[in-house]
Amino acid sequence: MTNKQLAQVQNQIDHNENNQDQDQYLTFFMANEEYGIDILSIQEIRGFDATTTIPNQPIFIQGVMNLRGTIVPIVDLRLRFGLEQIPYGDITVVIVVKAKLEEGEKIIGMVVDAVSDVYSVNHTDSTRAPDVGEADNREFLKGLVNVGEKMVVLLDLKKILTFS
Amino acid sequence: MSIDLSQFYEVFFEESFEGLDIMESELLALTPGDTDSETLNTIFRAAHSIKGGSGTFGFSVVADFTHELETLLDQIREGTREVQTFHVDLFLKAVDCLRDMLNALKAEEEPDTSLSSEITKKFLAILNDEDIGDASTSPAKQETAMDQPGAFGFFDDAYNDPIKPPQQNSSSGSKTWHIFFKPEPHLFKTGNEPIFMFLELADLGEMSILANIDNLPPYHDLVPDDSYLNWQITLVSDTNKDKIEEIFEWVLDDAELIIECDEAETVETVETVETVETVEVAADTGPAVSPATSQPVTPEPVAVKEQALPDTETPVIVKEKENKKNPEATSIRVSIEKVDSLINMVGELVITQAMLSQYGEGEFTENRRMLMLEGLAQLATNTRELQESVMQIRMLPISFVFSRFPRLVRDISQKLGKQVELKLLGETTELDKTVMEKISDPMVHLIRNSLDHGLETPAERTAMGKSESGTVTLNAYHQGGNIIIEIIDDGKGIDPQIIRTKAIAKGLIQEEDEFTEQEIIDLIFLPGFSTKEEVSDLSGRGVGMDVVKRNIQELNGTVEVNSKINQGSTFTIRLPLTLAILDGQLVTIGGNTYIIPLVNIIESIQMTPKQVNNVGGDLELFRQRDEYIPILRMDQIFNHEAVIESLTQGILVIVESEFGHIGLLVDDLLAQQQVVIKSLEANYQRVEGISGATILGDGTISLIIDIGGVISLAGLKKQHRNKMRSLNDHQLVV
C-alpha cells in the first residue's frame, strides 16, 4: 500500500468519524427561504400528480395521491406555513417522507417550490430558533444553521405533519 | 447435531390448542354413563398428542399434568370406570388449565402450576379412590413434580450439561429398577436418540448407566448411522413400571427392553452387570463412540453419577425473544383443494399472459386487435376467478366461533341454575377470518345476555307454562353480500316499560319523549345502560350492549334486536363477508368521484319538483310512496363546489341507515364495480363521512362514503327524526 493510499484510507476514517456528529439535511426552497429536513426521513422526490380531494379537511391538505398502490396524503407546505399558494406546474415538486409520528410511521407527501441541496451539518453548528414571539410557524422549527453565507431553517417534521 | 426445536413451537401450540378445542367439544358431548368409545377415543387421542408434543418440546409441566388426565381417561375408555358428571367437570377444568399453561408457555412465561397441581390432586384422588393398586403415583410425589416446572431442559443445551440430575432424591418407598435397553441398529434412523430417554429417566430418580460397547465393530467397519451399544441402567426411584415404559414408548418396537424391579432400598445392587467396559454415556452416545474413548473396566460400574439439581436452574423455555412477541400473528389452515384451485388459476393466468404478449408482438392488424380483445376478456375472467379463490382462502366456516359456545352455555347455565338447550344452525356458513376473530367477543356477550337476562329460571318458566329448559338458538346464513348471525332465545323478552323507566332514571331520555316500542328497546345499545339490578360477573356491568354495538359497527356491520314479552328476543348481527373488497356504486359529487357501498343502496331516483317538500326551512324531504325521505345534498356536506343547480338535476341515491331511509343527492351515477378497500388512516387520519379509499382502474383514488358518518356530518339529529316521524305517522293516518 502506498503512502498515498494510506492517507486516503486515513482520510476516509476521519471522515466517517466526523459523520457521527453530523446530520445530513435535504434543503428546499419556499418563497425564497431555504428549509432543511433530515435526509433519512425522505423516501423519494417526485413531480406533482393529480390528487383526490378529501372533504372537509384543512386547506393545506391537497388530497391523497396514489403512490404505487399506497394512499398518500399530500400537504401543501406553503399553505401549511400560511404562505401564499402558487399554482402547480410541471416543476412542482413533492417530497415524500416517512415520518415517525405519534400514531406510528406515516408516508406523507409535501409540496414545495423546488429542491435545493444536501448539506452535512454538525450537531454543534445548529442553533435554536430565536424567540420570535407569537409567530405561527415557530413550532415547526427545529433550529437554524449557517451554511456558508446562507441561513437554512431546519424543520421539525413531526410537528409539521401532525395535523390535529 | 442439536436441533433447534423452537422453530416447531408455533405448530405445536397451534395443534395443542386445536386438540384442546376438540377435547372440550367432545367432553361436552359426554354424558354420565356414556360408553361411546369413539368420543372417548377422540378425547384420548387429543390428550395424548398434547402430552407427546409437550414432552418432546420439554414442556414437562404440561406433559406431567396431561399424563394424569390421560390415566383417568384411559380407565374410562377401557371400561374400568364409568363417566360421571364430576369427571367431565374436572376434565373441562383441566382443559382450561392446560390452555392457560400453554398460553403462558407460548408467551414465554412460567406457567402457573398452582391450579394444575390442585387439579392433579383431584385426579389422583379419583384414581386412588378405587384403585389403590396404582398407589405408586402418590400425591406427594406428584406435587414435587409439579413444583418443579419445566425442569427438563434438554434441548437448550443438552450436550453441554447432558445428564440432568434427578428431581428428588430417593425418598422412602424407593425401589431399584434394573433396565436393560438394547436398541436395534436402525434406532437412529427412526429419529430416536437414547440420550433423551436417559435424561428423562434421570428425572425420575437417581440413575446410573453402563454402556456395553462389546458390539462395537472395528473403526473402519463402523457405520455411523447404526447403533451398536446397549445399556444397563440402574434407577433408584419411587416411580412405577408404566412410567419407565412410557419413556421408551417410541422405541419399544425397535429395541429390546427389560425392566426389572428390586424391592430393596439400596442403591448399589448392580451385580448383574459383569465385566463390561463403560463409557461416558453423556458425551458420546451411540455410534460416534470410538473404541479409543472407552474406559477401562471398572468394578464400580457407575459411569454417571448425578448431583442435586440447583433450584436456580432456568427452565425450559429459552428461545429468541424478538419474533415471538406478536401474539396477533395468526395463521390459517387451508385445504389442499383450495390451494390446488389457486395454482390452476395462476396457471391459466400465465397462459393468458403468454397469449397476450404473443399478440402484442409484431405488426398490429385489425385481426390481432380482435384476438387481443379476446385475450383481455380472458384475463378479466382469470383475474376475477383468482380474486375469488384468494378470498376463499380467508373464508372459514363459522363453526370455528360457534364451537366455543356449548361450553360457555354449559358453564353459565350451571352458574345461574337455569336449564338451557343450545341449538346451532348454519355452522358451515363461511366467513372471513378477520371478521370471525372480531365477532367472537360480541357474540359471547350477547349469548351471556340472553342466558342471564333473557331466559328465566325453571320455576319461572313452569309458572309461565313453558318447558323447563330454555332454548338459545344460534343461526348463521348468507344474505346478499352479508352474513347474518341470529341469537334467538325463548325467554321473557325485553319489557319496553322497564327499559323506559330505567332510561328515564338514568337520564338517558326525558319523561315527555315519545318513542315507539322498538325505539325504546333500542335504548339498550346506549352507553351506560344495564337493567339488571344487581351486578353479576356474567353480564350487567352496564358496559355491555354499547360495546357490542360499537365492535360490530367497526366491522361495518349492524346489530338489531327484536323482542316480544314472554316470547323471547332475537339479536340479529349483519356483517359484510369480507373487509377487503366491496361492491361499490361510483357516483360524482361536485365533480369528484366517490363510491357508495352497494349493499347500502336501495334505489336511485331522479326527482320531480312535486316530490320535494321543505320542512322547517333547512330540511328537504323527498316523498316517495308513503314515506318521507330526508335529502342530504352531498356537495354541501363535503364542501365541494356545486355542479348541479337544482335538486331535480341530480340523482337521489336512497340508502339504508340506522335512521331509516336517507337520500343522498349526487351529481351523477357512474359504473358499479368491485373495489379493493384501502385505509385512509394508514398514512393520514380518520375522516368523518369516509370509510376508506380505493384505487380505480385509471390509477386515481376514489373515496368510499361512510353513510353513518355522512349522517352525523349533516347533523341529522333527533329533532329532525321526530319531525319526520310525525310526518310519516300523519301520512299513515291519512
Side-chain angles (χ1 to χ4, degrees):
Chain A
M1 210 181 258
T2 66
N3 279 348
K4 197 178 162 192
Q5 280 172 321
L6 271 177
Q8 267 179 359
V9 170
Q10 188 59 48
N11 228 341
Q12 267 174 11
I13 293 169
D14 288 351
H15 192 70
N16 284 342
E17 272 172 5
N18 278 347
N19 276 357
Q20 285 178 358
D21 332 316
Q22 280 191 333
D23 287 328
Q24 282 195 308
Y25 285 90
L26 176 94
T27 62
F28 54 86
F29 279 109
M30 251 182 1
N32 295 324
E33 272 320 318
E34 196 168 4
Y35 297 92
I37 51 174
D38 186 358
I39 204 161
L40 293 176
S41 61
I42 294 171
Q43 184 176 317
E44 64 183 275
I45 297 168
R46 50 176 295 146
F48 182 81
D49 237 345
T51 56
T52 299
T53 316
I54 313 175
N56 304 318
Q57 298 305 302
I59 184 168
F60 51 82
I61 301 290
Q62 271 304 306
V64 280
M65 188 191 254
N66 172 12
L67 188 75
R68 295 181 298 276
T70 310
I71 311 261
V72 176
I74 304 294
V75 181
D76 187 313
L77 222 50
R78 269 178 171 263
L79 292 175
R80 179 72 171 135
F81 284 12
L83 302 169
E84 197 185 327
Q85 190 180 19
I86 53 168
Y88 296 160
D90 292 341
I91 52 156
T92 307
V93 169
V94 177
I95 302 177
V96 180
V97 295
K98 213 177 232 178
K100 288 196 178 73
L101 305 181
E102 305 259 296
E103 316 95 280
E105 205 171 57
K106 301 208 164 181
I107 299 171
I108 299 176
M110 303 190 298
V111 178
V112 300
D113 291 3
V115 170
S116 165
D117 209 339
V118 175
Y119 299 122
S120 293
V121 175
N122 284 327
H123 289 319
T124 46
D125 286 355
S126 100
T127 54
R128 287 175 59 89
D131 192 351
V132 282
E134 294 294 296
D136 281 346
N137 298 330
R138 192 174 44 139
E139 54 171 331
F140 300 149
L141 309 186
K142 200 158 86 179
L144 296 172
V145 69
N146 286 320
V147 180
E149 295 289 287
K150 293 180 295 188
M151 186 193 76
V152 172
V153 183
L154 303 182
L155 295 176
D156 187 343
L157 270 187
K158 197 172 163 184
K159 296 258 168 62
I160 294 175
L161 300 177
T162 302
F163 306 124
S164 45
Chain B
M1 99 146 245
S2 106
I3 304 167
D4 181 17
L5 286 170
S6 60
Q7 56 183 314
F8 306 117
Y9 283 179
E10 202 61 46
V11 180
F12 163 69
F13 284 125
E14 214 163 280
E15 286 183 352
S16 298
F17 286 126
E18 227 165 74
L20 287 175
D21 287 346
I22 292 170
M23 282 173 73
E24 190 165 72
S25 64
E26 294 294 325
L27 280 168
L28 290 171
L30 207 61
T31 43
D34 204 345
T35 47
D36 178 10
S37 58
E38 201 33 60
T39 314
L40 284 165
N41 278 332
T42 313
I43 302 171
F44 188 82
R45 269 198 302 272
H48 193 69
S49 330
I50 294 171
K51 186 179 94 171
S54 44
T56 310
F57 289 103
F59 303 134
S60 57
V61 222
V62 178
D64 291 348
F65 180 61
T66 321
H67 177 74
E68 298 316 326
L69 187 154
E70 209 186 77
T71 316
L72 181 59
L73 264 177
D74 201 31
Q75 290 187 359
I76 295 173
R77 189 172 66 148
E78 279 166 4
T80 46
R81 199 185 286 273
E82 210 163 73
V83 197
Q84 282 165 27
T85 319
F86 71 94
H87 289 157
V88 177
D89 286 341
L90 191 57
F91 281 136
L92 285 173
K93 260 189 213 152
V95 167
D96 287 345
C97 176
L98 273 173
R99 198 173 274 137
D100 290 346
M101 288 202 280
L102 286 170
N103 269 325
L105 287 167
K106 195 176 177 187
E108 297 175 21
E109 286 161 11
E110 188 75 6
D112 178 20
T113 51
S114 57
L115 182 60
S116 70
S117 48
E118 196 180 301
I119 296 175
T120 309
K121 267 185 223 161
K122 285 188 187 158
F123 271 125
L124 291 166
I126 295 176
L127 289 171
N128 290 335
D129 263 351
E130 297 162 18
D131 197 353
I132 313 295
D134 199 19
S136 47
T137 47
S138 66
K141 191 251 147 194
Q142 276 308 316
E143 252 176 283
T144 7
M146 285 301 145
D147 290 341
Q148 306 219 4
F152 191 48
F154 64 76
F155 59 85
D156 55 10
D157 225 347
Y159 286 84
N160 294 338
D161 180 17
I163 296 285
K164 262 300 168 55
Q167 302 271 319
Q168 66 268 347
N169 280 320
S170 42
S171 51
S172 59
S174 283
K175 299 172 203 163
T176 305
W177 296 87
H178 300 292
I179 304 159
F180 175 70
F181 177 57
K182 183 185 178 190
E184 299 279 320
H186 63 263
L187 175 81
F188 298 116
K189 290 175 188 154
T190 60
N192 288 294
E193 167 60 272
I195 186 140
F196 288 159
M197 302 169 203
F198 299 152
L199 285 167
E200 223 170 304
L201 269 181
D203 272 356
L204 295 175
E206 202 167 325
M207 182 183 77
S208 55
I209 276 192
L210 264 184
N212 181 347
I213 59 167
D214 285 352
N215 295 335
L216 212 57
Y219 188 63
H220 50 271
D221 289 340
L222 188 128
V223 181
D225 284 349
D226 281 357
S227 149
Y228 298 103
L229 305 183
N230 56 62
W231 290 272
Q232 181 71 45
I233 303 155
T234 312
L235 177 70
V236 180
S237 164
D238 55 356
T239 185
N240 57 355
K241 193 172 172 181
D242 287 353
K243 284 216 148 184
I244 297 173
E245 261 177 356
E246 200 185 295
I247 290 170
F248 294 98
E249 202 171 0
W250 302 100
V251 294
L252 276 180
D253 295 338
D254 304 313
E256 193 181 325
L257 180 70
I258 303 166
I259 303 172
E260 280 168 350
C261 177
D262 217 26
E263 292 293 336
E265 284 191 22
T266 47
V267 188
E268 261 88 15
T269 39
V270 207
E271 285 140 29
T272 42
V273 189
E274 274 153 23
T275 48
V276 280
E277 289 179 278
T278 61
V279 286
E280 284 243 289
V281 192
D284 308 300
T285 314
V289 175
S290 78
T293 59
S294 60
Q295 287 171 359
V297 189
T298 31
E300 186 86 346
V302 182
V304 187
K305 192 87 179 167
E306 277 96 46
Q307 277 138 30
L309 170 72
D311 279 342
T312 48
E313 183 92 356
T314 13
V316 182
I317 329 118
V318 191
K319 49 204 147 165
E320 322 90 286
K321 297 270 179 202
E322 57 267 42
N323 56 6
K324 292 282 167 92
K325 279 295 163 211
N326 186 5
E328 289 292 305
T330 55
S331 56
I332 305 182
R333 285 193 168 204
V334 184
S335 73
I336 287 287
E337 232 169 274
K338 283 181 178 176
V339 176
D340 281 349
S341 91
L342 256 187
I343 291 171
N344 276 341
M345 268 159 217
V346 173
E348 272 176 51
L349 198 67
V350 170
I351 294 168
T352 314
Q353 183 265 329
M355 187 174 82
L356 279 173
S357 58
Q358 199 183 342
Y359 293 149
E361 280 166 13
E363 209 177 314
F364 199 73
T365 61
E366 184 59 24
N367 189 25
R368 280 192 174 226
R369 198 184 83 92
M370 293 311 291
L371 288 170
M372 199 108 155
L373 283 179
E374 238 170 70
L376 284 173
Q378 180 89 44
L379 186 69
T381 319
N382 288 158
T383 318
R384 199 174 50 245
E385 280 174 0
L386 191 64
Q387 184 199 330
E388 275 166 18
S389 311
V390 173
M391 284 334 233
Q392 271 299 315
I393 286 188
R394 297 191 56 90
M395 301 296 257
L396 294 172
I398 198 159
S399 54
F400 277 82
V401 179
F402 277 10
S403 60
R404 58 189 280 193
F405 295 133
R407 172 75 195 277
L408 182 84
V409 169
R410 183 181 188 277
D411 287 357
I412 295 177
S413 55
Q414 269 183 2
K415 227 178 247 181
L416 295 171
K418 295 179 181 177
Q419 290 179 22
V420 184
E421 190 191 338
L422 181 70
K423 280 189 191 159
L424 302 177
L425 300 174
E427 284 173 88
T428 51
T429 315
E430 288 197 329
L431 179 62
D432 189 291
K433 184 157 193 274
T434 2
V435 183
M436 182 122 53
E437 278 163 0
K438 292 187 180 151
I439 197 59
S440 169
D441 284 347
M443 277 190 74
V444 168
H445 210 100
L446 287 175
I447 291 172
R448 283 183 166 173
N449 255 301
S450 286
L451 293 171
D452 198 13
H453 303 311
L455 291 183
E456 314 91 330
T457 57
E460 283 170 338
R461 289 185 69 91
T462 327
M464 289 295 304
K466 294 183 186 176
S467 64
E468 265 193 21
S469 84
T471 312
V472 172
T473 311
L474 299 183
N475 187 17
Y477 54 93
H478 285 165
Q479 193 181 70
N482 289 315
I483 181 166
I484 316 277
I485 303 167
E486 292 173 339
I487 296 153
I488 308 158
D489 69 67
D490 66 345
K492 56 179 172 254
I494 301 170
D495 187 345
Q497 224 37 59
I498 297 176
I499 304 280
R500 191 190 163 86
T501 323
K502 191 88 182 176
I504 293 170
K506 296 214 171 206
L508 296 169
I509 56 168
Q510 302 301 315
E511 188 86 52
E512 61 275 12
D513 282 348
E514 271 183 48
F515 287 102
T516 62
E517 281 203 354
Q518 186 59 46
E519 278 173 318
I520 289 173
I521 291 176
D522 286 343
L523 291 175
I524 61 169
F525 291 115
L526 287 178
F529 192 94
S530 176
T531 55
K532 192 93 183 191
E533 287 301 331
E534 75 277 22
V535 170
S536 70
D537 67 332
L538 294 173
S539 49
R541 274 183 225 88
V543 289
M545 290 312 216
D546 60 312
V547 179
V548 169
K549 184 167 188 178
R550 211 170 46 235
N551 284 349
I552 291 170
Q553 273 175 345
E554 273 167 21
L555 296 168
N556 295 327
T558 58
V559 56
E560 283 166 24
V561 54
N562 274 304
S563 184
K564 283 219 171 76
I565 293 185
N566 289 330
Q567 288 182 22
S569 319
T570 301
F571 286 87
T572 310
I573 302 171
R574 186 182 299 263
L575 290 169
L577 280 182
T578 170
L579 297 176
I581 288 200
L582 172 132
D583 274 310
Q585 167 72 57
L586 273 63
V587 300
T588 53
I589 296 167
N592 298 282
T593 308
Y594 284 89
I595 290 163
I596 302 175
L598 214 52
V599 281
N600 297 119
I601 299 179
I602 295 163
E603 57 184 326
S604 303
I605 297 172
Q606 194 144 30
M607 292 174 287
T608 60
K610 274 205 302 191
Q611 291 170 304
V612 181
N613 295 43
N614 245 312
V615 183
D618 60 337
L619 185 66
E620 289 165 316
L621 295 177
F622 168 70
R623 183 163 56 85
Q624 186 199 33
R625 297 182 273 275
D626 283 344
E627 197 182 10
Y628 285 96
I629 298 168
I631 298 170
L632 303 185
R633 289 179 183 247
M634 292 305 290
D635 48 5
Q636 287 177 9
I637 290 170
F638 283 167
N639 277 318
H640 290 315
E641 253 172 67
V643 172
I644 45 170
E645 282 156 20
S646 69
L647 283 176
T648 47
Q649 266 186 9
I651 286 174
L652 193 70
V653 180
I654 298 174
V655 293
E656 180 94 61
S657 79
E658 54 183 319
F659 290 94
H661 294 172
I662 303 281
L664 309 180
L665 183 72
V666 302
D667 309 350
D668 206 353
L669 291 185
L670 305 174
Q672 289 180 1
Q673 70 175 69
Q674 279 205 329
V675 296
V676 177
I677 303 173
K678 301 221 170 203
S679 161
L680 204 56
E681 276 172 76
N683 288 319
Y684 189 49
Q685 57 195 31
R686 231 187 83 76
V687 178
E688 179 96 81
I690 301 295
S691 65
T694 192
I695 295 170
L696 299 178
D698 60 358
T700 57
I701 294 172
S702 179
L703 303 176
I704 302 165
I705 291 177
D706 167 30
I707 299 199
V710 165
I711 290 169
S712 64
L713 264 182
L716 197 70
K717 299 259 167 53
K718 214 177 69 188
Q719 61 266 34
H720 289 133
R721 220 158 38 110
N722 288 342
K723 230 179 269 175
M724 263 176 54
R725 194 180 38 246
S726 59
L727 266 174
N728 280 338
D729 288 349
H730 183 65
Q731 183 73 21
L732 289 175
V733 174
V734 172

